[in-house]
Structures are given as C-alpha cells and as structure tokens.
Amino acid sequence: MKKIRLPKKINNSHISFFVIAVVLFWLKTYAAYQIEFNLGIDNSLQKFLLLINPLSSALFFFGLALLFKKRTKLVMIIINFILSFLLYANIAYYRFFNDFITVPVLMQTKTNAGQLGDSALSLMSPLDIFYFIDMFILIALALTVFKKVTVTNRKSFKIVLLFAITTFLFNLGLAEKDRPQLLTRSFDRNYLVKYLGAYNFTIYDVIQNIKSSSQRALADSSDITDVENYRKANYTAPNPDYFGKAKGMNVIYISMESFQSFMIDYKMPDGQEVTPFLNSLKHDGNTFYFENFFHQTGQGKTSDAEFLMENSLYPMAQGAVFVNKAQNTYQAMPSILKGQGYSSAVLHGNYKTFWNRNVIYKAFGYDQFYDAEYYSMSDENTKNYGMKDKPFFEESMPLLEGMKQPFYTKFISLSNHFPFEMDPEDTDFPAGDYGDTVVNQYFQSAHYMDQAFEQFFNDLKADGLYDNTVIVMYGDHYGISENHNDAMAKVLGVDEITPAINAKLQRVPLFIHVPGVKGGIQTQVGGEVDVRPTVLHLLGIDTKDYMEFGSDLLSNEHRNWTLFRNGDFVSSDAISINEKCYSYDTGDLLEDSSTCKDLSDKVNTELQMSDEVVYKDLLRFYKPEGYTPINPNDYEYLGPNGKTSKKTEDK
C-alpha cells in the first residue's frame, strides 16, 4: 500500500495538531453552551464573552500537553477526554438541576453512588455522542495525517501559556465591566459560567473549596460576635396569640418530595383534583396553609431542605452541608427539644448512608434513625430511591407507636421523585397531556403521594395520636425544572414562563396543623428558614438566644420577604432575579427598582452571616441560654436486629 506523503512543513509541525484540538474543542463547547444551558444572555457583550470564554481554558489545558516531548498527541487526546467528560457531566446534571457540578457535588455522588441510576439514565440521549466527536476526530488524525509528528522543543508551551493568560485576563476584564465584583459576589454559578466558562468555573470552584476548608481552622470565638449582633437586631418576637399553644405536643414533620404549590387545587381537564386530600387541608380552616412559601435549597436539594427546616441556617452555595460540613457543631431541633423531654427519630425508606444522614443526624441530636432496614424493601414496595409512600407510611406506624411521648419525628417521602414514573398497578389517575413525559407523569406521582398522606392521617386518627400532634408538611424543593418550561406554560395556561413566573414556581406547600388552633390560608411571604422559629414558638420555646436566621411566620413582626441561595429574592411587593426587579403582582419589569435595591443589601448580608456560621463552624463557640449541648458520639443507630448495620459500618 502506497504511503501518503504530506508536505514537510505540515508533517513536522507539532503545533498544527494542537491548533486543531483547540479549535474543535472550542467550537464544541460553544455549541453545548447554546444548546444545553440557559445562561440568561442579555446583551452583545455577554454573547461575545460566551463565545471566547472556552478559548483560554482550551489553550491552557491542551497547552500542558506540549510539555510532553514524545507523547504530545496522546496527552492531548487524554486531556480532551477528561474535559469532554466534565462538560458532559455538567450537561446531564444541568438537564435536571439547572445547575453546574461542583467539587462538593462530586463528593455527594460518591456518598450516594448506586442509587442514582434511573434518574441519570433518563437524562441521557444517543445524540450525546456529539460531545465526544472531536476526540474521535483527534484519534483518527493522530493515527493518519499526524502519525509521524513529534515535538522538537518546549518553547511553544510558553507562548501558548502567555496567550491563554492574556485571553483569560481580557475575558475577565470585560466580564467585570458587565458584572462588577463577579468573583466576590458569586452566589449564582450561572453567572460564573456565563462570563468565564465551565472550565474556568471549575478552577474557581476548586480554589473556593480549598479556601472553605481553611476557614474553620482559622476561626476563633471572636468571629461569632458580628453574627450575634446581627441576629439580635433581626429577631422577630412570637405572636402572643399563638405562643405556647402546642406546648408539650408531639411533632411530626413530613417532607413532601419534589412537590410544588401549583399542584394544590389543580384540576385535570376532566375535573379531577390532583391532590384532593391536601386541598381539603388547605380549606378546612383548622390548618395553617402558607401559599407564598418558597423553598431555599441549593445543590443539596432534599438534604438542604432538612438543614433549613431544623437549623434555620442557609445551605452552602456549593455542595451540601450534609456531606461537607457533617462534623460541625449544630443546635438543631432534635437537640433543642431533647432539653424539653422529647424523644426523636427520622423515618425514611432508604439506607442510612444516603446523603450522609447516618453521620449528620447524630450532630443534630436524633435519638434514632429508622432506615430501609426496618422496612420491607421488596420489588413491589420500592421505586427510584427507596420505598413507595403508601407502604412506607403503613409500616412506619408501629415504629411511631413505640416511641416515647412527647416525640419529634421526621418522615421523608420518596415516591414523587424525578422522573416521576409510576408502576401501573399503583395508580389509575390520568397522566397529563402537555407534550412532556416528565411533566405528564408528575400529575400521577403527585396524586399517589396525596393518597399516601390521607392514609397516614387516617392511621394517626385511628391510633389516637392525631389530637395531640403538631403536623408540619413541607415541599422540599422544586420537581419540574426550567428545562420543562414549554410544558409548564401549557400547565399554567400562559404564553411563556417569564422570570417572575418561574420565581413563583419555586413556591412549595407548607401546612402546619395544631390541634385546637384555628388555622386558615396565610398570604405572608416566607421560606424554609422561617419554619423552625415558627414551630418552636408554637411549642412555647422562645428562640431569641438561638443563632438562627428565620423569621416566625406567625409573628406580627414577620419580615415578609425571603431569599434564594443564589442571592435572588422575593418580597410581598417585588421579585429580584439576576439583579432585575419585577412586580410581584403583575410580573412586569419595574422601572423604579428602589424596593429591590433596598432589600439586596439585606439579602447579601444575611447570606454572608449564615455562611460565616456554617463555613467556620461558629456554633462550637456559642451556647444559647438554657441549652444543653449534645455529643454526637453518644449516638449509635442500630438496625432492627440490635446491631450496627453493615452499610453504616462501611461508611
């Protein structure tokens, strides 16, 4: 076979292969930005930055291969694979979470490995091979056209490195012009990717995590002073009409997986209510229903919601407290109520190690954790991440009955989880017809969960627990992401999902039923951080000495605004999204944004204060009056056989 002879200039040019690798990867990344990510490009400068921001990363990383004299092409191909894999991992993650992977998220994946299969597969498409096609092109070129290319010197690396740094600084300068203090006000990862690119964001994320790890070691008792002063200045006193009305009662928290408020009172085209039981609670006059209540979770999703509800602190901007800060000192609901004679437990149809719960629940002060080992985890009883809701609540009743009263318990439901597919034998409720499988299945899954809750309430009444138990039901986070906005516009009967409408879609239900106390529909704006002081005040425990950031929802002094982890916020008058101010009532962009500007500083201060507590582990330096600290090492969660579970030992 006759060999193909190339011009000597090309055949000896090691830089040609490098240029092809950079250009192919640059174009692929830009295409991914346009196709997969909704980054909120608002002007021509942002469009230009989106185009150039993959270039500095490509130059730098592929330039590293030029240091390898004999293996340059192989190293470039390996680098291409690693970067392509990171890009695709972000794409798959973004398709559901509308967010980007961080270093702490990778740690969470390790913690939760083996239980993510169905959800992950549902996010993939055969067309995704496109995101690796440049790697295959490079392999083909390396084996043919550039087979004999070798590197003669390393001077090219210095030139490429200089070009990469210059490109990045040019990129950063333009980004800072459009978004001042980009790297210091980094609550929103979308901003960082939009302005700097996914790969530069990863570098930034690594640096931030190194910084975070050092914060605790450098902290001392003086760091709590500013937080304490802020807390005292923003404390909301309890409403005397409700303070202590539930004193001595049992408390049950129920986490409503992925459940959003738009489902309440929603009717299918044939007139069927999706959630008839929850609708009845909303309107019965004996239950507080908060219709302007928002989730505030970050990347930790369900675990973040738990953290917010029980600690009245905000979750981390990146990763999850449950995984990354499990060794911190906390003064959570179970430990506070322990001082009032309460026993405590979590009931969850999944295994202890998921979300690192077997570790952090000890720091919260939970006496017991009834996990999957206490339940019949048969094929017909399980789906997605664990046990279906109906058998879960049914099998939980004997465990609940065996607890010493008064008790504080938390039930974590699972059935209403992405991708919301139901087993046919579990429902005869019709799916939606909105041109989106995930959205269509959401109606069936939500209806099933509603039936499970009704069953549980009936069991509580039959056992005599209902009349002496405060029941708190809360949606933990959104279920339908922005990737399904076309279908959601049809669901809501609007032309499009605007930023203001999307913000309101982050409303999740909050029900608080207190026996003997008249409830009703509440219109005040609040979030998950506000629930702990609300419930503790109902139980007759004043929170003025506790380091928390919530505002009692029933207080006459309630602040009537709430924030999201990315720095956006909602008040009774306005919604701030990406620093744009919208009317809460109409959703129109406001020309006079003074309302948002006034609140913006408060929101940023509040997040910074909470981050001080969490990142520096400041509660180890603070003890509220009358509070007895707990020792996490005193707790051991045993299986039903009285022995430590193997999964816990493995952890």
Side-chain angles (χ1 to χ4, degrees):
M1 182 176 178
K2 187 177 180 179
K3 293 184 178 180
I4 300 175
R5 292 190 178 273
L6 296 170
K8 188 175 181 180
K9 185 177 180 181
I10 296 178
N11 196 47
N12 292 331
S13 177
H14 61 276
I15 203 68
S16 298
F17 189 80
F18 168 79
V19 171
I20 292 172
V22 168
V23 171
L24 287 175
F25 189 78
W26 178 14
L27 295 177
K28 177 186 72 175
T29 304
Y30 180 69
Y33 288 171
Q34 295 286 1
I35 296 169
E36 300 287 354
F37 304 137
N38 180 20
L39 299 174
I41 305 300
D42 294 326
N43 55 50
S44 57
L45 177 57
Q46 291 179 8
K47 291 178 182 178
F48 177 69
L49 288 172
L50 195 68
L51 173 65
I52 69 167
N53 71 39
L55 181 57
S56 62
S57 301
L59 287 169
F60 175 76
F61 288 112
F62 284 108
L64 294 175
L66 299 177
L67 293 172
F68 295 82
K69 187 172 182 179
K70 295 182 179 180
R71 302 290 183 184
T72 306
K73 293 175 291 184
L74 176 61
V75 174
M76 282 190 195
I77 291 169
I78 292 173
I79 289 173
N80 181 284
F81 173 76
I82 294 172
L83 294 178
S84 297
F85 184 81
L86 176 61
L87 176 65
Y88 182 66
N90 270 307
I91 288 169
Y93 189 78
Y94 194 90
R95 284 174 180 170
F96 178 63
F97 293 108
N98 275 94
D99 204 349
F100 296 93
I101 292 176
T102 62
V103 172
V105 164
L106 295 177
M107 295 174 63
Q108 293 163 203
T109 302
K110 180 179 178 181
T111 303
N112 298 340
Q115 304 190 50
L116 306 172
D118 291 343
S119 294
L121 288 173
S122 67
L123 299 171
M124 298 179 182
S125 164
L127 295 177
D128 291 344
I129 193 67
F130 164 79
Y131 295 112
F132 295 89
I133 196 168
D134 59 325
M135 183 184 70
F136 298 126
I137 293 174
L138 291 180
I139 292 172
L141 291 174
L143 295 175
T144 56
V145 177
F146 293 93
K147 186 174 182 179
K148 294 185 177 181
V149 170
T150 57
V151 178
T152 56
N153 60 68
R154 298 185 181 183
K155 292 181 180 178
S156 301
F157 170 72
K158 296 179 180 179
I159 297 173
V160 169
L161 179 61
L162 179 61
F163 191 25
I165 293 173
T166 303
T167 304
F168 173 74
L169 292 177
F170 175 68
N171 185 159
L172 181 60
L174 291 178
E176 284 282 349
K177 180 180 179 182
D178 195 62
R179 168 76 172 181
Q181 299 177 299
L182 174 66
L183 297 181
T184 55
R185 299 173 62 199
S186 55
F187 294 127
D188 194 334
R189 283 172 289 281
N190 261 16
Y191 272 51
L192 292 170
V193 174
K194 174 170 67 174
Y195 286 111
L196 300 180
Y199 311 104
N200 288 329
F201 162 71
T202 299
I203 296 172
Y204 171 84
D205 178 49
V206 171
I207 294 171
Q208 288 297 101
N209 277 276
I210 293 172
K211 178 182 176 182
S212 171
S213 299
S214 66
Q215 283 179 312
R216 185 184 189 278
L218 298 175
D220 59 44
S221 57
S222 65
D223 291 331
I224 196 72
T225 303
D226 287 344
V227 182
E228 187 176 3
N229 291 337
Y230 174 83
R231 164 62 181 148
K232 289 179 179 178
N234 291 276
Y235 163 72
T236 52
N239 187 332
D241 292 339
Y242 297 114
F243 186 76
K245 291 297 184 181
K247 188 174 181 62
M249 291 186 181
N250 303 315
V251 179
I252 292 177
Y253 273 46
I254 303 174
S255 173
M256 307 164 70
E257 173 63 43
S258 302
F259 194 81
Q260 293 170 251
S261 293
F262 75 87
M263 278 293 189
I264 301 294
D265 286 336
Y266 195 92
K267 293 183 179 180
M268 302 299 285
D270 63 1
Q272 288 192 76
E273 294 178 285
V274 180
T275 58
F277 174 67
L278 294 177
N279 298 348
S280 69
L281 289 182
K282 172 183 175 180
H283 298 289
D284 68 5
N286 298 314
T287 302
F288 293 103
Y289 175 73
F290 298 85
E291 64 179 10
N292 290 312
F293 180 78
F294 292 78
H295 83 84
Q296 298 172 293
T297 61
Q299 291 185 322
K301 295 298 182 281
T302 298
S303 71
D304 279 357
E306 293 184 65
F307 181 70
L308 280 152
M309 298 285 287
E310 296 186 315
N311 293 276
S312 197
L313 299 169
Y314 295 104
M316 298 171 67
Q318 297 166 193
V321 172
F322 270 43
V323 175
N324 303 102
K325 300 295 180 182
Q327 306 303 329
N328 278 13
T329 297
Y330 296 106
Q331 294 155 7
M333 282 282 283
S335 62
I336 293 172
L337 292 179
K338 189 179 297 295
Q340 306 294 318
Y342 279 71
S343 63
S344 58
V346 179
L347 300 96
H348 183 39
N350 202 336
Y351 291 95
K352 289 182 173 72
T353 54
F354 197 63
W355 279 122
N356 203 34
R357 288 184 170 107
N358 62 306
V359 175
I360 200 163
Y361 282 168
K362 295 175 183 178
F364 288 178
Y366 274 109
D367 295 323
Q368 184 56 283
F369 183 10
Y370 297 111
D371 76 327
E373 293 192 25
Y374 285 84
Y375 296 93
S376 303
M377 303 294 286
S378 60
D379 289 343
E380 62 270 21
N381 281 353
T382 57
K383 63 169 287 190
N384 289 337
Y385 289 69
M387 201 170 194
K388 297 176 182 177
D389 290 346
K390 288 183 180 180
F392 165 64
F393 284 113
E394 180 180 357
E395 294 187 23
S396 294
M397 285 306 301
L399 300 173
L400 190 64
E401 292 165 356
M403 289 188 63
K404 173 181 171 292
Q405 298 190 46
F407 54 68
Y408 170 83
T409 59
K410 177 169 59 182
F411 291 76
I412 303 174
S413 66
L414 283 169
S415 292
N416 193 51
H417 196 289
F418 180 87
F420 312 112
E421 184 177 4
M422 295 292 300
D423 291 334
E425 64 271 17
D426 288 329
T427 185
D428 58 1
F429 195 79
D433 184 19
Y434 301 103
D436 185 312
T437 301
V438 169
V439 174
N440 292 345
Q441 293 174 164
Y442 190 65
F443 292 87
Q444 294 177 307
S445 187
H447 181 75
Y448 173 86
M449 183 174 69
D450 182 75
Q451 291 179 320
F453 291 155
E454 182 175 21
Q455 165 198 306
F456 182 52
F457 270 60
N458 289 336
D459 289 342
L460 291 173
K461 292 175 182 178
D463 281 5
L465 291 171
Y466 183 79
D467 292 332
N468 191 42
T469 300
V470 176
I471 302 174
V472 180
M473 306 174 71
Y474 67 96
D476 57 354
H477 55 78
Y478 67 79
I480 307 298
S481 73
E482 293 178 51
N483 296 315
H484 305 277
N485 274 357
D486 289 344
M488 284 305 301
K490 297 177 184 177
V491 170
L492 301 180
V494 297
D495 294 333
E496 64 174 336
I497 302 297
T498 64
I501 292 175
N502 183 67
K504 287 188 176 183
L505 279 172
Q506 307 315 305
R507 288 181 295 188
V508 293
L510 174 66
F511 298 88
I512 301 179
H513 177 80
V514 184
V517 176
K518 183 175 175 59
I521 297 173
Q522 308 292 305
T523 60
Q524 58 268 45
V525 174
E528 289 165 331
V529 76
D530 299 324
V531 175
R532 190 179 92 163
T534 306
V535 174
L536 285 176
H537 288 171
L538 284 167
L539 295 174
I541 302 169
D542 199 330
T543 63
K544 66 179 183 298
D545 292 324
Y546 285 95
M547 206 61 63
E548 62 184 18
F549 293 89
S551 167
D552 183 346
L553 291 164
L554 297 175
S555 170
N556 295 323
E557 303 170 5
H558 177 64
R559 60 193 175 191
N560 218 23
W561 59 265
T562 194
L563 62 83
F564 299 116
R565 179 58 258 197
N566 65 358
D568 294 339
F569 56 88
V570 176
S571 75
S572 55
D573 299 317
I575 300 172
S576 177
I577 304 294
N578 294 336
E579 298 187 338
K580 293 182 178 179
C581 196
Y582 302 87
S583 165
Y584 186 87
D585 294 327
T586 67
D588 295 335
L589 193 63
L590 296 176
E591 293 183 9
D592 179 10
S593 58
S594 57
T595 301
C596 288
K597 288 179 181 177
D598 292 342
L599 267 179
S600 181
D601 290 340
K602 293 181 181 179
V603 166
N604 289 333
T605 300
E606 177 119 339
L607 284 171
Q608 289 165 5
M609 289 292 174
S610 179
D611 285 348
E612 286 279 301
V613 174
V614 174
Y615 284 90
K616 294 184 178 180
D617 189 15
L618 293 184
L619 291 182
R620 60 190 159 130
F621 303 122
Y622 182 80
K623 177 182 172 295
E625 185 177 347
Y627 173 77
T628 302
I630 58 106
N631 183 357
N633 295 325
D634 293 339
Y635 298 88
E636 184 177 12
Y637 301 138
L638 304 178
N641 58 5
K643 298 180 180 180
T644 304
S645 69
K646 186 176 187 304
K647 286 186 177 289
T648 303
E649 290 170 351
D650 290 343
K651 178 65 185 175

